[in-house]
Amino acid sequence: MKLNHLDLQVPDVQATARFFTRYCGFTSHAKNHDSPAIAILGGTDGFVLVLQRRKRDTDVFPKDFHVGFLQDSEAPVLAFHERVKADGLEVSDVIRNNRGTLVYCRAPGGILVEVSCRP
């Protein structure tokens, strides 16, 4: 099976869409790029990320919920870290362990994003 799409409920659709297009390489698929209600983003491998406006402010992601992006080498992980840090986003230190090199960042809406490479 191939994962086709992920639908995330977020408080600010456009701010979250800008994060995923700027830092994660997604492109917009929707005709209405400014919709406050929904954004449909495409990844480089055909994966689709759907962002919909959260209906209630009490609907939040569980504490450790996150989305992960795997890179081929350490260089793009480090580049991601520097870009989000330079833009003032909340980002972890670079973590190196037996799983590889990892960075965690908070996207708008509180979504925890992991960018990593395997050793």
Side-chain angles (χ1 to χ4, degrees):
M1 263 189 243
K2 178 181 175 183
L3 184 61
N4 177 54
H5 72 276
L6 179 64
D7 188 323
L8 299 175
Q9 308 294 301
V10 298
D12 186 334
V13 168
Q14 290 305 312
T16 308
R18 282 190 299 274
F19 175 89
F20 282 105
T21 56
R22 177 170 171 81
Y23 301 109
C24 302
F26 283 87
T27 57
S28 178
H29 278 222
K31 291 180 181 175
N32 183 355
H33 298 288
D34 299 322
S35 172
I38 189 168
I40 301 170
L41 307 176
T44 57
D45 63 351
F47 177 76
V48 175
L49 178 61
V50 179
L51 304 170
Q52 291 193 66
R53 184 175 48 218
R54 186 180 290 159
K55 305 217 182 343
R56 296 177 301 270
D57 287 338
T58 56
D59 294 340
V60 295
F61 296 104
K63 179 180 177 270
D64 293 327
F65 172 85
H66 68 278
V67 295
F69 295 95
L70 185 62
Q71 298 292 332
D72 291 332
S73 67
E74 188 176 81
V77 176
L78 300 178
F80 172 85
H81 181 264
E82 290 306 312
R83 285 186 72 202
V84 296
K85 186 175 181 179
D87 287 348
L89 298 175
E90 179 185 341
V91 63
S92 72
D93 291 334
V94 175
I95 302 162
R96 290 181 177 93
N97 59 30
N98 62 344
R99 293 187 319 152
T101 302
L102 305 96
V103 171
Y104 292 95
C105 177
R106 287 277 173 200
I111 301 167
L112 186 60
V113 174
E114 173 188 308
V115 177
S116 65
C117 68
R118 294 187 178 129

